[in-house]
């Protein structure tokens, strides 16, 4: 794609053309070498023109009601005058090639709203629970004028913590009254949450709901506080009936305003940009490493040696890294 086309795409995207945004995301998600330069150019241009949005991570186990909640939350935010982008991370498995979301049209009401943009993104085998290009996609959404970006992740593993590197604050969705073993949610996930929402409040009676909320709030006092010594707040809602959403939005706004005022939001964004540099450098190095060694007979030989126990995996890896470092790969020209 030429610079002209990239410029054209950016122009259409910033003018609010959702098809152009979708096309731009497809471009940055492309693994094709030929697309890399245009994709990088597009993301740089998007970063330059984009106005930072409020980025909210929404995490929870499958079936807890995340997509129903996002659909309802999205409409409520639009009614307040916001433009909402949803990056729904579809955990398609590299092994099965399938997806647990594949057979379901998610957030379909929100997806057709003109003030919303819903993009299911594959994790592309990325173990982090977020898409390989979620950072870049957020930048494109911001350039397209979306001021609320909801990033959904699925699952309960440590992986969900990666979303914490991309968002301003995180909402963990749980269900009330399903036992105090915390529904398999690991402590680390709880500690990355700023708000915990007990969804499906309509399914339990008020006494059960209140007890679940109090127990959880109590348990949270034993975890590390998040920013500014704040413990995550437990709220309740029914995404299905649209109950408790305004309280959720109000609390998100309060936390955001607090952090802005304390300079914590800016600090977090700077940290995230630095992390982006490292993540990007690692990716570029790894790609180069794999490419260079793909045809290397020494690599194949070492693999055989490892298989027959003649050398250890760590020693073989060291040998490959040394080879890569001394392979005379010319340093990239200064730009
Ligand atoms: P996800 O896998 O976490 O995205 O969950 P979904 O949003 O797909 O919801 C799973 C199921 O729970 C669906 O059948 C929803 O209709 C239902 N559900 C979601 N929110 C609520 C709620 O607040 N109350 C009740 N009763 N059901 C809900």
């Amino acid at each position: 794609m030429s610079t002209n086309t990239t410029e054209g795409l950016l122009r259409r995207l910033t003018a609010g053309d959702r098809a152009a945004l979708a096309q731009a995301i497809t471009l940055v998600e492309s693994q094709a070498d030929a697309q890399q330069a245009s994709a990088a150019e597009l993301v740089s241009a998007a970063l330059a023109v984009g106005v930072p949005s409020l980025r909210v991570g929404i995490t929870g186990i499958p079936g807890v009601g995340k997509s129903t909640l996002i659909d309802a939350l999205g409409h409520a935010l639009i009614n307040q005058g916001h433009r909402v982008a949803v990056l729904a991370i579809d955990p398609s498995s590299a092994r099965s090639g399938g997806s647990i979301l594949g057979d379901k049209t998610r957030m379909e009401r929100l997806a057709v709203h003109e003030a919303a943009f819903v993009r299911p993104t594959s994790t592309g085998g990325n173990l982090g629970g977020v898409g390989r290009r979620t950072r870049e996609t957020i930048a494109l959404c911001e350039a397209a004028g979306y001021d609320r970006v909801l990033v959904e992740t699925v699952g309960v593993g440590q992986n969900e913590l990666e979303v914490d590197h991309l968002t301003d604050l995180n909402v963990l969705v749980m269900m009330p009254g399903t036992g105090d073993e915390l529904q398999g949610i690991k402590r680390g996930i709880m500690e990355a949450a700023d708000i915990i929402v007990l969804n499906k409040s309509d399914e339990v009676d008020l006494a059960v709901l209140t007890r679940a909320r109090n127990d959880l709030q109590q348990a949270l006092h034993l975890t590390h506080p998040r920013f500014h010594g704040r413990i995550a707040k437990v709220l309740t809602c029914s995404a299905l009936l649209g109950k408790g959403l305004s309280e959720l939005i109000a609390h998100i706004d309060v936390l955001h305003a607090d952090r802005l005022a304390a300079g914590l939001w800016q600090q977090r964004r700077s940290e995230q940009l630095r992390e982006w540099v490292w993540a990007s450098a690692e990716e570029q190095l790894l790609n180069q490493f794999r490419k260079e060694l793909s045809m290397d007979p020494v690599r194949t030989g070492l693999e055989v040696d490892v298989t027959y126990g003649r050398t250890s995996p760590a020693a073989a890896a060291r040998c490959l890294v040394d080879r890569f470092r001394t392979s005379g790969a010319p340093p990239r020209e200064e730009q």
Side-chain angles (χ1 to χ4, degrees), residues 60-70 101 104 106-107 152 154 173 175 199-203 237-242:
I61 56 172
V64 76
K66 291 179 301 301
S67 56
T68 312
L69 179 64
I70 290 170
L101 310 177
K104 197 163 58 150
R106 312 174 84 233
M107 297 166 237
E152 179 201 15
V154 182
V173 189
M175 285 180 277
N199 186 36
K200 308 200 184 184
S201 62
D202 56 290
E203 283 191 341
C237 80
S238 165
L240 198 66
L241 305 181

